[in-house]
């Protein structure tokens, strides 16, 4: 089955079976940043953006994404916001293993775009679904706070979201 989507900014046809998950279809189409994790949408390793919102791609049937917009970490890593987050993670001493990166990055993106100055408690509530295998929660919260500072400094603390 050919499924037309906007993948990482380009119109493309995903080659997939209707019963496959978005995760399987993406990986078959050489988008490898989303990883197989728990298979239940709880760990964050398979996270992608679907129409700008983070979703667990292992739980999304590929047949329902026809003509939708999908962004993976491969594309997001070219953005300024990615750099803000990356620098925040480095400052917090977070070592990225490569397995759960998309969950951490896209959860952080969502937090930064919805809250100008997130506090520790709100961050903790918003990342409770993640199961990072290489980062403790306190370091991740610190990284998100540093990323927020980077983002706000870059945009001049204006709410341009």
């Amino acid at each position: 089955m050919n499924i037309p989507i906007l993948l990482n900014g380009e119109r493309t046809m995903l080659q997939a079976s209707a019963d496959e998950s978005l995760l399987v279809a993406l990986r078959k189409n050489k988008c490898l940043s989303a990883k197989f994790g728990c298979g239940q949408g709880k760990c964050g390793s398979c996270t992608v953006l679907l129409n700008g919102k983070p979703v667990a791609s292992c739980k999304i049937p590929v047949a329902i994404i026809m003509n939708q917009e999908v962004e993976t970490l491969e594309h997001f890593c070219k953005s300024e916001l990615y750099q803000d987050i990356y620098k925040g993670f480095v400052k917090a001493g977070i070592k990225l293993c490569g397995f759960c990166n998309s969950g951490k990055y896209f959860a952080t993106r969502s937090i930064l775009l919805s809250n100008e100055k997130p506090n520790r408690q709100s961050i903790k509530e918003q990342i409770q679904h993640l199961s990072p295998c290489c980062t403790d929660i306190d370091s991740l919260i610190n990284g998100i706070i540093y990323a927020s500072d980077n983002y706000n400094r870059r945009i001049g603390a204006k709410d341009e979201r």
Side-chain angles (χ1 to χ4, degrees):
M1 164 178 210
N2 289 329
I3 301 169
I5 66 168
L6 184 63
L7 177 60
N8 293 330
E10 295 183 20
R11 293 248 168 250
T12 191
M13 293 290 226
L14 276 185
Q15 305 296 315
S17 302
D19 62 342
E20 285 180 342
S21 69
L22 175 57
L23 173 61
V24 170
L26 288 171
R27 293 187 62 80
K28 282 179 25 181
N29 285 272
K30 310 270 190 273
C31 291
L32 304 176
S33 63
K35 308 287 191 229
F36 291 100
C38 68
Q40 300 173 1
K42 296 180 180 178
C43 71
S45 296
C46 67
T47 305
V48 299
L49 297 178
L50 179 60
N51 299 321
K53 305 265 190 261
V55 298
S57 63
C58 72
K59 299 299 287 178
I60 305 291
V62 74
I64 69 167
I65 64 151
M66 187 176 292
N67 298 315
Q68 304 296 312
E69 182 178 351
V70 176
E71 184 175 7
T72 65
L73 197 57
E74 286 96 341
H75 187 260
F76 180 67
C77 73
K78 300 171 187 170
S79 70
E80 289 180 313
L81 183 52
Y82 174 92
Q83 289 303 314
D84 295 336
I85 297 168
Y86 175 77
K87 290 173 186 172
F89 286 179
V90 168
K91 184 174 181 180
I94 295 172
K95 305 286 189 233
L96 298 168
C97 69
F99 188 73
C100 54
N101 291 4
S102 61
K104 287 188 273 198
Y105 273 97
F106 288 139
T108 302
R109 176 192 175 275
S110 182
I111 291 167
L112 298 184
L113 294 179
S114 67
N115 189 344
E116 185 173 312
K117 198 76 170 151
N119 63 44
R120 295 185 77 75
Q121 185 59 36
S122 71
I123 293 170
K124 189 172 187 176
E125 289 168 7
Q126 291 178 71
I127 63 170
Q128 67 184 350
H129 68 286
L130 295 178
S131 301
C133 53
C134 58
T135 307
D136 66 275
I137 294 299
D138 286 331
S139 294
L140 182 54
I141 291 170
N142 289 339
I144 294 169
I145 290 169
Y146 296 144
S148 176
D149 291 343
N150 295 337
Y151 176 64
N152 287 321
R153 192 171 26 258
R154 180 174 56 79
I155 66 167
K158 296 177 197 161
D159 193 8
E160 296 178 5
R161 298 163 216 189

